[in-house]
Amino acid sequence: MFTSGIVPPWFYIMVLIVCILFVGIGYWVTRSEKGLQTGGDGKLASRAIYYENRFRSSAKPAEIIDVKTNYVGYVKRNFNSIFHQLRAFLSPRKNIRLTAENGDGKLKIQLQNVNDHTKFLFSSWEAEVTTSGIAERFTIESKSEKKSNINLSFTYKGEMIDVFNNVKESEIKVQKNGVDIARISYQRKLPPRKVFIDSKEGELPLLLLACMFEIVKYYD
């Protein structure tokens, strides 16, 4: 009977090979995917669309365009190294760093999860939004009680913003003072899901709303 409790070296080698194959297959699948066709009149609309990445351990940018085919920007997950990316395959909710940038580079967003709880459901996020060189930093807090109803909140430009996601409705509501200021809807199927963003009166940038979707999906 085997009782030593020591994991044989070949097991770690097999895990490494599987991880490398997964990353390689993910790259091969996504590299041939066609990007969204852009054009438009240069003036951003209040609604946009994009397709999320097929894999959470992918570093490929998810590009966003508005309904007039103007290029809005991209959001992607960052990795320090190939080993960090391999670890993301095994633990996709560990050390998450997201970045986003608009077409002219004047709006940049950085997000980092703060996993200081035993359950990811209660994890918060440190955010930095830089607009024309001026940075605003804030924390996105999770007030969620269960995965089917996610509740996040943060202060942006001096206003309290609440984000609600009801999984059954496949919709994310963004509110200020109890009033809807944006909605994000998505198709309920396997990634890459098609995501629709409606910023209504444009109180929040389309790029920031895309980041909200990327954050919310890690709570499922």
Side-chain angles (χ1 to χ4, degrees):
M1 181 180 292
F2 181 77
T3 59
S4 66
I6 299 175
V7 178
W10 62 262
F11 177 80
Y12 295 106
I13 295 174
M14 289 298 297
V15 171
L16 180 61
I17 292 174
V18 170
C19 291
I20 293 174
L21 286 174
F22 177 83
V23 173
I25 292 172
Y27 172 77
W28 180 262
V29 171
T30 58
R31 77 185 187 95
S32 60
E33 291 180 351
K34 295 182 178 179
L36 297 173
Q37 298 298 313
T38 59
D41 57 8
K43 185 177 180 181
L44 291 182
S46 61
R47 292 180 294 167
I49 181 176
Y50 80 104
Y51 291 88
E52 67 172 334
N53 272 328
R54 188 180 300 273
F55 303 107
R56 294 189 183 184
S57 58
S58 171
K60 180 182 178 182
E63 296 182 324
I64 309 154
I65 63 170
D66 72 2
V67 293
K68 298 188 296 183
T69 70
N70 290 301
Y71 182 68
V72 176
Y74 69 84
V75 56
K76 69 172 185 175
R77 184 168 179 177
N78 282 352
F79 299 97
N80 298 326
S81 64
I82 185 63
F83 297 104
H84 178 198
Q85 192 170 6
L86 290 173
R87 287 198 301 269
F89 166 63
L90 299 174
S91 301
R93 293 183 175 86
K94 296 288 187 180
N95 193 21
I96 305 169
R97 295 194 302 116
L98 302 173
T99 60
E101 185 173 334
N102 70 347
D104 58 13
K106 293 183 179 179
L107 177 61
K108 299 179 181 180
I109 302 173
Q110 297 184 17
L111 298 160
Q112 170 77 57
N113 77 307
V114 182
N115 199 4
D116 55 357
H117 297 280
T118 56
K119 291 185 178 181
F120 188 86
L121 186 64
F122 307 115
S123 295
S124 59
W125 299 73
E126 295 299 327
E128 180 178 282
V129 179
T130 303
T131 308
S132 299
I134 301 175
E136 179 179 358
R137 298 177 179 86
F138 53 88
T139 300
I140 303 172
E141 301 284 357
S142 174
K143 302 178 181 178
S144 312
E145 296 182 356
K146 51 185 179 179
K147 293 191 296 183
S148 58
N149 284 284
I150 301 302
N151 181 4
L152 308 174
S153 65
F154 59 94
T155 302
Y156 180 68
K157 293 186 176 180
E159 300 282 354
M160 179 60 70
I161 306 297
D162 293 295
V163 180
F164 303 96
N165 178 47
N166 187 320
V167 175
K168 293 181 179 180
E169 297 178 356
S170 299
E171 183 179 64
I172 299 172
K173 296 180 181 179
V174 183
Q175 297 183 346
K176 183 178 75 174
N177 299 323
V179 178
D180 287 357
I181 61 172
R183 286 177 180 258
I184 306 168
S185 57
Y186 52 93
Q187 296 174 336
R188 296 187 64 189
K189 63 177 184 178
L190 294 175
R193 290 174 292 183
K194 191 175 184 180
V195 183
F196 300 91
I197 304 171
D198 185 357
S199 67
K200 296 185 179 294
E201 300 301 322
E203 293 194 52
L204 294 180
L206 291 168
L207 198 63
L208 181 57
L209 292 171
C211 288
M212 289 300 103
F213 172 82
E214 291 294 322
I215 285 177
V216 166
K217 77 180 187 182
Y218 279 100
Y219 288 91
D220 62 16

